[in-house]
Amino acid sequence: ERPPMEEAAAAGDESPRMGSTTVSEEDVRALLGYYDPAELCGGGEAPAAELRTYRTVSSADADGGARNVIAITLACGRKLHARCCIATLTGAGAGGTDSREDTATTTRRGVEPLRRAQNAAAVLRVLRTEEFPTVYPMYVRTGATCVSYFAGMRAVLYPAPQGLRVGEGSAKPAMVHHIGQALGRLHSVDFRRAGVDLPRRFDYTLEDMESFLISINSSFFVVHPFIEFLRGYVRHLKEFVGVEAVLPHGVIHAGIAPNTALFDVDDSLTALVDFENVCDGEYLVDVCMAVMAFCYCPPEGNPGGTMEYRPLLARALLCGYATARALAREEIDMFPVYLSYACLGSAFHLFRQWNVLNTDHHNSDRYKQYVDRLRDITYNPTR
């Protein structure tokens, strides 16, 4: 095994960078110092908590999100993931707090990474009592918080998730059944009784889309075919989506995607992860996002072909969901509308990410698969 810095240098980067922040070996060691060595090693001996290697596995989203992860391997062999919030705070000392945490940055995505980490921790604290299949954050030595401070960032440390991720379009009915069951369990937990009160805010809402449409009015994107398509869907979906007190709502994952679910070799769900987007929203948002993520497959014998809707997978998802929570009649009635909403949100996110915020010719057309799916959904308000 190479020493940590030697391994990083061999990879061509002496100090892994995350956004504008450089992370050093000393920073990672300081981060580990917040935690009990025995807990770091999962009950192992304290000396084995020594750092072996570390590397950055993802960096900041172009729109300022908190998707920053450092993969850490200890001498005992245990692997950890540090999820970091990039430099939204100033003036806080190591292990200290800053009274300006909520006002240091004014942009919504700039100020929220810390709040998102805290919201996720609050939800996961409750889910731990329910033995929900996920990965739980580690708490610092005092046990009062799971958020630590290092290298100008806030970080939450998790054991590395165990299990296998399936590629998009590769899910089996048994896997999808377990995902539905997990979502039904999540939506059945009484979080308010446990004192968890989350913002009623779902990423990529119709309001976000409207703001985006206004922001590009004076740019050349205004003539892009997708913009008029987006404008038409937003205008009509506003009549139905997000109307309070109409559909059952509560804590939702709000980020269901193929890479958020891990499975064992027997296709059972080992963990549903990435709760950073958790919020108070309509349960139907999660269910429809799961349909988009796991119920489309390429044609048999043509793995590179256009994804096609698979009713068998959708049936498995909804049957799994029903084992923990039954959909209300109004949710069933609105299912095609929210399926359109989830699909439009994915198309909007991918278009903005890879065409506006970044220029990436390899990903610039990724949004089109969701446009095709939208046109196939029974409910189509633009017709």
Side-chain angles (χ1 to χ4, degrees):
E1 292 289 343
R2 291 191 179 104
M5 294 305 291
E6 186 180 335
E7 181 186 51
D13 188 359
E14 191 168 288
S15 295
R17 294 183 63 84
M18 299 169 63
S20 60
T21 302
T22 300
V23 180
S24 69
E25 180 178 4
E26 290 72 22
D27 292 330
V28 178
R29 291 185 187 279
L31 171 65
L32 296 178
Y34 283 103
Y35 302 87
D36 182 83
E39 184 182 4
L40 287 174
C41 285
E45 295 295 327
E50 181 66 19
L51 174 67
R52 177 187 291 172
T53 62
Y54 73 99
R55 63 189 176 90
T56 302
V57 295
S58 62
S59 58
D61 286 342
D63 50 0
R67 191 71 57 169
N68 310 281
V69 181
I70 299 175
I72 300 169
T73 302
L74 304 179
C76 63
R78 196 175 194 210
K79 297 183 178 181
L80 309 171
H81 282 175
R83 290 179 171 268
C84 305
C85 307
I86 290 288
T88 57
L89 311 180
T90 57
T97 59
D98 189 336
S99 61
R100 293 171 288 172
E101 285 178 0
D102 293 340
T103 58
T105 310
T106 56
T107 59
R108 185 177 71 82
R109 280 190 167 274
V111 76
E112 279 197 0
L114 177 59
R115 291 181 184 174
R116 290 181 180 224
Q118 293 169 332
N119 290 341
V123 167
L124 291 171
R125 187 189 288 270
V126 177
L127 291 181
R128 189 189 291 271
T129 66
E130 302 288 332
E131 298 184 351
F132 187 85
T134 188
V135 179
Y136 297 98
M138 304 174 70
Y139 282 77
V140 299
R141 290 174 186 268
T142 62
T145 180
C146 62
V147 180
S148 54
Y149 178 91
F150 88 117
M153 299 181 287
R154 294 286 177 174
V156 180
L157 197 63
Y158 291 84
Q162 302 297 310
L164 303 172
R165 287 184 169 89
V166 297
E168 188 174 12
S170 302
K172 303 175 185 177
M175 294 176 174
V176 180
H177 179 91
H178 289 304
I179 293 168
Q181 190 174 48
L183 287 178
R185 288 182 59 191
L186 174 66
H187 298 165
S188 300
V189 176
D190 189 351
F191 287 95
R192 288 192 178 275
R193 187 174 181 181
V196 177
D197 187 17
L198 298 180
R200 190 154 165 72
R201 175 73 192 187
F202 169 56
D203 273 3
Y204 316 129
T205 61
L206 296 178
E207 290 76 14
D208 286 330
M209 298 179 201
E210 282 187 313
S211 296
F212 168 76
L213 290 170
I214 293 172
S215 71
I216 54 99
N217 269 340
S218 59
S219 76
F220 64 88
F221 283 108
V222 73
V223 298
H224 194 287
F226 177 72
I227 297 304
E228 189 58 34
F229 180 86
L230 178 65
R231 202 185 306 277
Y233 260 90
V234 169
R235 183 170 56 251
H236 292 286
L237 283 175
K238 280 188 67 177
E239 300 177 18
F240 307 101
V241 171
V243 180
E244 294 196 20
V246 172
L247 294 179
H249 66 87
V251 170
I252 62 173
H253 182 283
I256 301 297
N259 63 354
T260 61
L262 292 96
F263 301 91
D264 207 337
V265 291
D266 63 356
D267 295 339
S268 62
L269 182 70
T270 60
L272 185 65
V273 297
D274 294 353
F275 276 81
E276 283 80 5
N277 293 324
V278 68
C279 64
D280 184 322
E282 290 86 357
Y283 296 135
L284 206 51
V285 168
D286 267 354
V287 177
C288 290
M289 288 183 74
V291 171
M292 284 297 144
F294 297 102
C295 300
Y296 281 77
C297 295
E300 291 186 16
N302 184 15
T306 301
M307 294 284 192
E308 298 175 346
Y309 173 66
R310 297 299 171 90
L312 177 64
L313 293 175
R315 192 175 300 117
L317 177 79
L318 295 176
C319 286
Y321 189 84
T323 62
R325 178 184 178 269
L327 287 173
R329 168 50 59 185
E330 58 267 28
E331 290 178 299
I332 296 173
D333 292 341
M334 292 292 286
F335 200 92
V337 176
Y338 273 75
L339 201 58
S340 296
Y341 180 33
C343 195
L344 186 67
S346 297
F348 163 65
H349 167 65
L350 291 172
F351 177 83
R352 185 177 64 169
Q353 185 77 6
W354 302 116
N355 292 273
V356 180
L357 300 175
N358 298 280
T359 302
D360 186 333
H361 298 299
H362 296 291
N363 290 297
S364 60
D365 288 340
R366 285 181 58 190
Y367 75 94
K368 291 183 178 179
Q369 63 176 311
Y370 292 98
V371 171
D372 292 338
R373 294 181 194 183
L374 267 168
R375 288 172 172 147
D376 288 338
I377 296 173
T378 300
Y379 170 82
N380 188 332
T382 62
R383 291 178 181 172

